[in-house]
Amino acid sequence: MPTKPSEILSLLDRKREDFMSFDRSALQALQQYGTALIQMSQKSDRALLSALEDMQDCGARPVEPLGLFPEWIMHSNLSWQNREESLEWVRDRITGISTFSVDGSQIYPSKDFSIPVALVQIGWFENDHLEAGKYEKDITLDVMTPNDLKVGRGDLADRRVNLRRFEMECDRIVQYMEEHAGSQTCLAFFDGSLIATFSEAFDEETRMFYIRCIRSVLQASEDYRVPVVGYVDTSSARDLTEMLQRLCNLPESKTIHDAQLLNRAKNQMQWGDRTPLFLCQRPGVRDLYGSHRDRIVFTYLKTNRDSYPARIELPLWIYEEGWHDRILDWVRAEVVIGGGYPYVIETADQVAVLKNDDRQTFYRLLQDWAEKEDLTLRLSRKMISKARRR
């Protein structure tokens, strides 16, 4: 039955004050944190590091010289008159550079089948950025059996599918790094954060699985000297906010996040601008990262004029080698090509996605194979009805 717009609007009107109160308190907190950002950005690196010296899990610590940039915003001074000028800059920066990304998709176990089974597909895109247009798009699959799923159907089975997908994506990034070991002309994009705070919502076994996968990527990057960046388009991370709160004894405010705070800076971020690099000192899951606990840095990069800056995370070794500026230019170049989002990540997503036709093909192949192997595979009446209609 369709929703009733009039009833929704009536409920919103009745609860208007709740929204207004939240907005007022959030704005007041933002102003406090904005003032603290201005004040702290006027301090020297030495003064800031000294103030943070005895603080554990303080959100962030400066790594790159802050240079007294107002509100820690480093202007790139990148602007072009037209699309062709921007693409000329891109060609100058990224020609001959291999960029890589991988994404995944899945078909979860269905109650319409008597046997629990799932399909996981990952797809990747590697672009050498050469005039000849050389690139690679490909996929690989895994069928998850009842033994793989162990728990049959439902949320726990779906979680095992998600874990397998994540593992396959990370393994493929590591493989790319092995193939390009020692190369200084390649970059792997990790679609998401390298700091698995999301895993804290799960049980210990699941949490450790995610972290082991990410640690394998970080270790491979450092061993093979192949850079990787974690790209978070819409970040709610609060590392800089936490640092400001600790430095200035501000009231805690969970509604404020770094990207929001930087986007409101008086020293307005323009396209291509970024913050200096900071070492992530977030409490919690980082303690499970072993030797990589204090070896992930981040910056915020303005990739769209009308939205919050993206969060870019890198292994510390990239900064130690002095590669960070050119790596960030490669990220900017991918964003230009993609019209506001890295083209390499967007394309990997398109390669990996399983559409409804793929789902029906999988079910049909599964049914035919089960009949050939004399496996008892019962279909629900709903599934049989759908098959007949098609």
Side-chain angles (χ1 to χ4, degrees):
M1 187 174 180
T3 58
K4 298 178 180 179
S6 59
E7 189 171 342
I8 294 173
L9 288 172
S10 176
L11 286 167
L12 288 171
D13 285 340
R14 279 163 47 194
K15 300 184 177 186
R16 180 176 181 274
E17 183 53 36
D18 288 349
F19 290 103
M20 296 296 289
S21 175
F22 175 85
D23 193 52
R24 284 193 298 269
S25 60
L27 181 60
Q28 183 180 16
L30 260 177
Q31 290 170 341
Q32 285 182 293
Y33 277 79
T35 299
L37 177 62
I38 293 172
Q39 293 172 347
M40 290 299 103
S41 69
Q42 294 170 351
K43 292 185 176 293
S44 68
D45 298 24
R46 180 178 296 181
L48 203 59
L49 286 168
S50 176
L52 292 167
E53 187 174 4
D54 296 326
M55 295 186 190
Q56 298 297 316
D57 297 331
C58 56
R61 294 183 194 275
V63 171
E64 192 175 10
L66 300 177
L68 297 180
F69 297 109
E71 295 165 281
W72 293 327
I73 292 172
M74 303 168 65
H75 293 299
S76 66
N77 300 314
L78 290 173
S79 63
W80 304 282
Q81 296 300 312
N82 51 54
R83 175 74 172 167
E84 183 51 44
E85 282 189 11
S86 67
L87 291 176
E88 183 62 34
W89 181 86
V90 167
R91 283 189 288 270
D92 184 57
R93 293 297 185 281
I94 209 170
T95 296
I97 304 301
S98 163
T99 56
F100 176 88
S101 186
V102 61
D103 205 346
S105 188
Q106 66 281 317
I107 297 173
Y108 292 114
S110 171
K111 62 178 185 249
D112 293 318
F113 285 93
S114 59
I115 298 176
V117 60
L119 180 71
V120 179
Q121 173 173 290
I122 63 165
W124 59 88
F125 178 57
E126 180 181 354
N127 189 350
D128 287 343
H129 296 285
L130 295 171
E131 290 186 10
K134 181 187 173 187
Y135 65 86
E136 178 187 344
K137 291 181 183 178
D138 209 346
I139 62 168
T140 192
L141 302 161
D142 190 21
V143 173
M144 299 187 70
T145 69
N147 188 53
D148 296 323
L149 296 166
K150 291 185 174 63
V151 286
R153 301 172 187 81
D155 292 343
L156 290 176
D158 290 354
R159 185 182 301 175
R160 288 193 179 274
V161 176
N162 293 335
L163 290 171
R164 178 60 180 141
R165 168 182 161 175
F166 193 78
E167 179 182 45
M168 290 172 67
E169 291 173 3
C170 290
D171 286 350
R172 186 62 186 88
I173 294 176
V174 170
Q175 181 186 338
Y176 171 81
M177 292 173 174
E178 291 173 346
E179 295 166 350
H180 293 77
S183 172
Q184 296 189 22
T185 57
C186 61
L187 174 62
F189 281 78
F190 184 93
D191 185 11
S193 176
L194 295 169
I195 304 153
T197 302
F198 69 89
S199 70
E200 292 179 337
F202 299 113
D203 59 88
E204 183 180 0
E205 181 184 358
T206 302
R207 183 163 57 250
M208 289 307 303
F209 187 96
Y210 278 118
I211 291 169
R212 278 196 302 271
C213 289
I214 294 178
R215 283 171 56 178
S216 73
V217 170
L218 294 169
Q219 192 62 52
S221 175
E222 192 154 347
D223 288 346
Y224 297 118
R225 280 312 195 245
V226 173
V228 61
V229 296
Y231 189 94
V232 187
D233 184 65
T234 305
S235 171
S236 57
R238 303 184 63 258
D239 299 328
L240 293 180
T241 312
E242 175 74 16
M243 182 180 72
L244 290 172
Q245 193 244 326
R246 299 280 293 277
L247 285 169
C248 302
N249 295 315
L250 296 172
E252 187 175 20
S253 179
K254 296 294 187 184
T255 62
I256 299 174
H257 53 83
D258 298 347
Q260 176 190 28
L261 183 64
L262 292 165
N263 203 60
R264 287 178 55 89
K266 294 179 180 178
N267 182 25
Q268 193 172 13
M269 290 187 95
Q270 304 296 327
W271 191 96
D273 294 351
R274 69 174 178 93
T275 65
L277 291 173
F278 289 85
L279 185 69
C280 182
Q281 298 284 275
R282 187 183 307 169
V285 72
R286 195 171 51 88
D287 290 337
L288 303 174
Y289 271 60
S291 62
H292 300 284
R293 182 183 185 275
D294 292 314
R295 294 194 62 77
I296 299 174
V297 298
F298 67 90
T299 180
Y300 287 90
L301 176 68
K302 187 73 169 174
T303 56
N304 285 279
R305 289 185 172 84
D306 301 322
S307 59
Y308 290 166
R311 180 180 169 108
I312 315 296
E313 297 172 353
L314 311 89
L316 179 61
W317 75 263
I318 295 174
Y319 173 73
E320 291 172 339
E321 292 283 355
W323 294 6
H324 55 289
D325 280 329
R326 75 167 184 264
I327 297 297
L328 291 171
D329 267 351
W330 296 349
V331 174
R332 290 185 182 102
E334 277 289 344
V335 170
V336 171
I337 298 169
Y341 188 76
Y343 180 75
V344 66
I345 299 180
E346 180 182 10
T347 307
D349 171 74
Q350 293 169 357
V351 173
V353 68
L354 285 163
K355 300 178 181 177
N356 192 55
D357 287 348
D358 301 314
R359 187 181 308 275
Q360 298 309 317
T361 298
F362 173 59
Y363 290 154
R364 187 177 65 253
L365 289 171
L366 180 62
Q367 185 179 5
D368 293 345
W369 179 82
E371 289 176 1
K372 180 172 73 73
E373 298 295 327
D374 291 327
L375 288 174
T376 304
L377 178 65
R378 291 187 302 276
L379 298 171
S380 70
R381 299 306 303 175
K382 176 181 176 182
M383 180 65 75
I384 293 171
S385 175
K386 282 184 176 181
R388 284 173 178 166
R389 290 198 300 271
R390 289 180 173 84

